[in-house]
Amino acid sequence: MPRRVVRRLQTTLGRRGAFLAILGTGKTCWGIGMIVAPQPAPQGLRLLLEMCPLSSWAWLWITCGLITTASAFLRVGRDWAGFVAALIPPTVWAISYTSAVVTGEFTRGGFLAVWYLTSHVGVIMWAATVPEHSVPHVPRPARKGRPG
């Protein structure tokens, strides 16, 4: 029974969908973590915190994560919203860290901005261009006839 469920889930999601499901789950968990155990003074995020409290930004991660996860179950071509939603939080974080470097508030922020732009934004943009390939099923061996 569990094998059938896993096989059906793999068939339903495909490669792009699996990527979106993993990414969306991670973003949702990251946002929940900011609400459950917020940092007292997150360095480099002053630009964001001047606009909204950290809990509001956590809800951005959660919402985008849920959209990304839900898009995993859509067909290729219709899953674009998941990739767009996945790009929003790390792009916002990269902008905030870049701003912190420019203002001199957090010099390490430049490395964090590059990290978000490469390991998050870059990977998401690459994955959005990866085509979904249908791998042919392995043929089952022929059944032996019953002695009659």
Side-chain angles (χ1 to χ4, degrees):
M1 177 73 162
R3 285 185 182 176
R4 264 192 269 161
V5 172
V6 170
R7 198 174 317 124
R8 180 159 177 118
L9 191 59
Q10 285 175 334
T11 303
T12 302
L13 292 178
R15 289 174 19 183
R16 290 166 57 103
F19 177 78
L20 286 171
I22 292 167
L23 199 61
T25 301
K27 290 185 182 312
T28 303
C29 289
W30 185 256
I32 291 170
M34 279 191 262
I35 291 174
V36 172
Q39 296 176 344
Q43 290 184 310
L45 299 180
R46 185 166 49 100
L47 177 69
L48 300 180
L49 297 175
E50 287 175 356
M51 291 185 245
C52 299
L54 188 60
S55 61
S56 297
W57 294 110
W59 280 106
L60 174 75
W61 282 89
I62 293 167
T63 303
C64 288
L66 293 174
I67 292 169
T68 302
T69 303
S71 295
F73 296 93
L74 300 176
R75 287 187 301 188
V76 174
R78 294 187 179 186
D79 58 359
W80 63 269
F83 288 102
V84 172
L87 285 171
I88 294 170
T91 302
V92 170
W93 251 240
I95 290 168
S96 183
Y97 282 125
T98 301
S99 169
V101 171
V102 171
T103 61
E105 173 198 344
F106 187 53
T107 54
R108 184 173 167 245
F111 298 103
L112 291 168
V114 170
W115 179 70
Y116 273 109
L117 291 173
T118 56
S119 68
H120 292 270
V121 174
V123 171
I124 294 164
M125 291 176 68
W126 168 79
T129 64
V130 172
E132 185 68 49
H133 296 289
S134 59
V135 180
H137 296 289
V138 177
R140 291 185 169 186
R143 292 185 178 180
K144 293 184 179 182
R146 291 186 178 164

